[in-house]
Amino acid sequence: MPYQHHFADGTLIDLPLGKVVCVGRNYAEHARELNNPVPSEPLLFIKPASAVVPLSDAPLQLPAGKGKVHYECEIAVLIGKPLSGAVSSEQAHKAIKGVGLALDLTLRELQDQLKAKGHPWERAKAFDGACPLSVFIRPEQAPGLTELPLRLVINGEVRQQGSSAEMITPILSLLQQIASVFTLQPGDVVITGTPAGVGVLQPGDVLELAIPGALEQSAEVAR
Ligand code: ZN
């Protein structure tokens, strides 16, 4: 089934799926595990709507023959109102329609090659299926934006565990900085970076993603 935004209770969210704005290296420990410097301002890139698939409806199809596919579990923020130019933290807060979970799937070997050449990352990050997205909870159902816990379990083993409290650029500030670069439109999604613990996905892996206490979602990698 094609992806559409939904709340966790099944309600359809009447917003078109737009772009997905992503931030790299927003958790210092993750930047270090890939031997990357911690950036002085958010490192932004975009996945097109065509990269988005539902996280849980069907097994995730990984690209074949292109090297290792890494998982990156991230907190996703659904934008409900336009944000453009200089926006206040309060405007950014009011524009949040939902909070959910995403996988920023990455062809890591290809990304390393592109980085070495100074080329854009799209070939490694924007392919069809590169952004599985969960359903969303309403912001008032989520713990505070500055203390959202995040956890990824694969085949029963905790692989990633973090909190938005560890973000280098916190969520509202991130939205403000993104809006100053390009307009966020209703239906766009911002994925907010991944904590340490990224690794390779294997066929048949069973994933449990959670904002513990608020949202739990499972996914499976196709065999
Ligand atoms: Zn990421």
Side-chain angles (χ1 to χ4, degrees):
M1 235 177 46
Y3 175 90
Q4 281 185 292
H5 298 307
H6 283 87
F7 283 120
D9 63 10
T11 314
L12 177 69
I13 303 173
D14 190 18
L15 292 175
L17 169 62
K19 61 186 173 293
V20 180
V21 181
C22 315
V23 55
R25 305 175 203 165
N26 202 20
Y27 292 78
E29 225 184 296
H30 166 62
R32 282 194 286 270
E33 76 178 341
L34 295 182
N35 293 315
N36 287 317
V38 175
S40 57
E41 59 177 4
L43 193 168
L44 303 176
F45 58 98
I46 290 178
K47 294 186 189 236
S50 51
V52 176
V53 292
L55 180 71
S56 302
D57 291 3
L60 304 175
Q61 305 288 337
L62 304 184
K66 294 190 172 168
K68 294 187 174 95
V69 181
H70 268 200
Y71 57 82
E72 297 187 356
C73 180
E74 312 201 1
I75 293 168
V77 174
L78 174 62
I79 303 299
K81 292 179 183 166
L83 286 177
S84 192
V87 302
S88 67
S89 166
E90 197 190 346
Q91 283 171 304
H93 201 174
K94 283 185 177 154
I96 297 177
K97 180 86 174 178
V99 175
L101 291 157
L103 289 172
D104 169 11
L105 297 184
T106 304
L107 288 161
R108 190 70 73 197
E109 291 154 327
L110 182 55
Q111 187 198 24
D112 287 344
Q113 292 165 17
L114 294 167
K115 268 187 191 165
K117 292 182 197 159
H119 289 182
W121 298 354
E122 275 83 350
R123 286 174 179 272
K125 290 252 190 202
F127 54 88
D128 288 3
C131 192
L133 266 186
S134 80
V135 293
F136 292 89
I137 50 175
R138 291 172 174 83
E140 61 272 20
Q141 295 170 307
L145 290 174
T146 54
E147 51 186 5
L148 284 172
L150 174 66
R151 186 181 64 216
L152 173 66
V153 173
I154 301 183
N155 304 328
E157 190 183 310
V158 177
R159 298 285 186 89
Q160 291 193 278
Q161 199 151 27
S163 160
S164 62
E166 298 155 14
M167 289 179 181
I168 296 167
T169 307
I171 291 173
L172 293 182
S173 169
L174 191 58
L175 299 186
Q176 288 178 279
Q177 295 199 44
I178 292 170
S180 76
V181 184
F182 28 68
T183 298
L184 285 169
Q185 292 163 317
D188 286 351
V189 173
V190 173
I191 67 174
T192 55
T194 197
V198 302
V200 181
L201 279 180
Q202 305 287 358
D205 277 349
V206 175
L207 287 71
E208 297 160 75
L209 296 82
I211 297 173
L215 181 65
E216 299 202 3
Q217 293 278 290
S218 58
E220 198 183 328
V221 181
R223 287 183 183 277

